[in-house]
Amino acid sequence: MILGNQRDQSMPIIEVKDLAKKYPLPENKSEFFYAVDGISLSIEAGEIFGILGPNGAGKTTTLEMLEGLTDIDGGSAFIDGIDVAAEPYRVKEIIGVQLQANEYFDNVTLNELLTLFAALYEREVDTKNLLSKVNLLDKAQAKPDHLSGGQKQRFSIACALVNSPKVLFLDEPTTGLDPQAKHNLWDLVRELNNAGMTIVLTTHNMEEAESLCERIAIMDHGKLVAEDTPQNLILKHAPEPPKAPLHGNIEDVFLALTGHGLRD
Ligand code: ADP
């Protein structure tokens, strides 16, 4: 069930404590390193929460643990009060996970794929409604191969919505998209959020984190280095702007260099 507009701000929908994941070291498989090194997070229902960090920071691994796709090696994660490690299947009922578009079957239409995904959850979906939500109604009979990058990403979100999730996880949803497709996807994320859905996304795009997310956790080398609203992070950590702001414009530069204005 989507929460509608009833946002319960009093109780976190995601509670993560000292979460850890270790992988064998690539150069010496008998030793391990922590890809996720004891992170704690609390995400409120109705938030758009961003995990920002460079490649290899541990963002995807964190998401995969929350989604029940990767075993948890340390700490705990609860989604809507359900222990992810103990009851991964109950968690899967209430979350939406965006698959990468190239994992879809050939020769099946978008309409058929949505029906198929819904059947996996033993549900029936209004495919027209879902496709119109992601602005792809006119592509109902198209095959995924024939979609643009932005359309594929929006379709992958439609697939993640077949079980009307409370929490939607998006792993780098706009990577590789052109600016227009990126903005369309942000609009979709905002619409879903306005309807009450909690959204957790990873990104290495600063602009995306700043303009879309209500709160951001910054991750590096498996650890959280900061977590707050974009405004507070800037206030706390961004260096002071230069005391004297720049004034003038390129026309002034031209005037100074040539002794006459651009239109003289
Ligand atoms: P991010 O999503 O921030 O780019 P990842 O979570 O994908 O980072 O990866 C974190 C670290 O864990 C990286 O060093 C990566 O190479 C390593 N890693 C990820 N998945 C595996 C795996 N299945 N086996 C071994 N190492 C992995």
Side-chain angles (χ1 to χ4, degrees), residues 21-26 29 33-36 51-64 70 171-172 202-204 219 222:
K21 177 78 191 174
K22 59 183 182 187
Y23 283 127
L25 273 173
K29 300 265 189 254
F33 78 102
Y34 278 90
V36 176
I51 304 178
L52 177 73
N55 280 335
K59 306 182 297 296
T60 300
T61 307
T62 300
L63 239 53
E64 286 176 350
T70 296
D171 197 2
E172 301 196 355
T202 69
T203 182
H204 50 233
M219 200 166 179

Side-chain angles (χ1 to χ4, degrees), residues 103 142 184 210 219 223 230:
E103 293 167 18
N184 289 343
E210 196 176 336
M219 200 166 179
K223 290 184 185 293

Side-chain angles (χ1 to χ4, degrees), residues 107-144:
N107 283 325
V108 187
T109 66
L110 303 196
N111 205 43
E112 289 164 340
L113 272 169
L114 285 177
T115 308
L116 187 69
F117 280 123
L120 297 176
Y121 286 97
E122 295 175 354
R123 290 183 187 227
E124 280 180 26
V125 278
D126 181 345
T127 54
K128 278 191 180 156
N129 177 39
L130 262 185
L131 286 170
S132 79
K133 213 179 248 182
V134 300
N135 203 11
L136 286 175
L137 193 50
D138 56 334
K139 299 282 179 191
Q141 301 309 321
K143 315 264 164 70

